[in-house]
Amino acid sequence: MVYTVNIGKFKVVIIGTARMLTAVYTLLLEFHHKAMTIRTILEFPDPRLRTQAASVGKVDKRIRYLLDDMFETMYEAKGIGLAATQIDVHERVVVMDVSEERDTPLILINPEVEFIGDSQLEHDEGCLSVPGFYETVSRPDCIRLRALNEKGESFELEPDGLLAVCIQHELDHLNGKLFVDYLSALKRQRIRKKLEKLHRQSS
Ligand code: QAP
Ligand code: CO
């Protein structure tokens, strides 16, 4: 049999049995997917950043594709953390890499955080959704994290310092919260006005 299938903008002709069609089609879909993985990052004050993300039910191939896209998007943008919310996917998935060498990826699916001890840490924060702005935010320094990895296995971590700050920042995204929410209304408004102006100029 001769089959014609559409893969994105391509029309592909497959000659063979129906079983071959399925196999080749799956392969082509994966190839096509891998060719376009950088997603658009939403920017403050986009109201979609205020969405509460839903828990992931099953860590399957769909989630692993999402993780691939998120890492590619985060590394390309030179970020240290990216929540799915920021690419308009409202599921509880986070990718991070706080290492200097950019070679230590960390995946958090359905993350849960507990505060341990009561020391606070002041840290300069930025955000891929608030480009060009950095402000000091105070957060609990020591946390206990429980999350699922890319295989759906549960793991625990007790980070402090930058890693603890970044985890809390990304978890906030999944709950529709941004680091600018911790600033004064005046500072937040200034940032919003400047970004809105930039968005008008680039559209
Ligand atoms: C969250 O943020 C974070 O303005 C991750 O022009 C940041 O990856 C937690 C970025 C700092 C703790 C400390 C920001 C890239 C990246 C920008 C990011 C920019 C380019 C932000
Ligand atoms: Co952010």
Side-chain angles (χ1 to χ4, degrees):
M1 277 293 288
V2 179
Y3 302 94
T4 310
V5 294
N6 290 306
I7 314 269
K9 61 178 178 176
F10 304 103
K11 187 163 265 169
V12 179
V13 180
I14 301 168
I15 304 165
T17 63
R19 241 182 59 192
M20 270 176 72
L21 172 73
T22 313
V24 173
Y25 189 57
T26 307
L27 207 89
L28 284 171
L29 265 181
E30 282 185 34
F31 177 75
H32 176 250
H33 173 89
K34 283 189 170 55
M36 27 180 45
T37 47
I38 290 166
R39 308 260 198 125
T40 308
I41 299 174
L42 301 178
E43 292 187 4
F44 178 67
D46 194 308
R48 291 171 288 183
L49 288 168
R50 299 308 187 177
T51 313
Q52 172 80 22
S55 290
V56 172
K58 186 166 178 273
V59 182
D60 54 12
K61 204 163 166 177
R62 186 180 65 83
I63 297 294
R64 282 188 287 273
Y65 279 154
L66 173 63
L67 288 165
D68 283 350
D69 285 10
M70 287 175 66
F71 273 117
E72 197 141 355
T73 305
M74 180 189 76
Y75 282 126
E76 201 249 356
K78 309 217 181 312
I80 60 170
L82 182 76
T85 309
Q86 293 175 275
I87 57 162
D88 204 19
V89 173
H90 302 287
E91 298 185 72
R92 303 186 83 78
V93 177
V94 166
V95 298
M96 293 180 26
D97 189 340
V98 299
S99 72
E100 210 68 60
E101 302 76 21
R102 324 277 306 136
D103 61 357
T104 314
L106 179 63
I107 291 164
L108 313 180
I109 299 167
N110 295 345
E112 284 172 55
V113 161
E114 255 179 88
F115 304 128
I116 50 180
D118 36 35
S119 66
Q120 293 275 124
L121 179 65
E122 288 199 336
H123 206 289
D124 269 1
E125 293 189 25
C127 180
L128 290 170
S129 295
V130 191
F133 296 88
Y134 292 85
E135 294 287 345
T136 308
V137 176
S138 176
R139 299 182 187 266
D141 187 17
C142 302
I143 63 171
R144 180 177 297 124
L145 163 81
R146 183 179 296 208
L148 304 179
N149 65 15
E150 73 283 3
K151 295 173 195 151
E153 301 160 346
S154 179
F155 68 95
E156 267 187 37
L157 222 58
E158 286 188 15
D160 58 9
L162 175 62
L163 186 55
V165 169
C166 199
I167 289 170
Q168 292 175 71
H169 174 115
E170 299 311 329
L171 216 134
D172 273 352
H173 276 302
L174 302 180
N175 296 327
K177 198 167 168 106
L178 298 169
F179 86 92
V180 296
D181 299 344
Y182 296 100
L183 310 177
S184 70
L186 185 66
K187 270 191 181 168
R188 186 165 50 256
Q189 177 146 308
R190 277 201 198 125
I191 295 173
R192 179 168 58 76
K193 290 259 159 70
K194 284 182 193 163
L195 281 174
E196 278 173 344
K197 190 172 171 193
L198 286 171
H199 296 155
R200 274 199 303 277
Q201 284 168 349
S202 64
S203 70

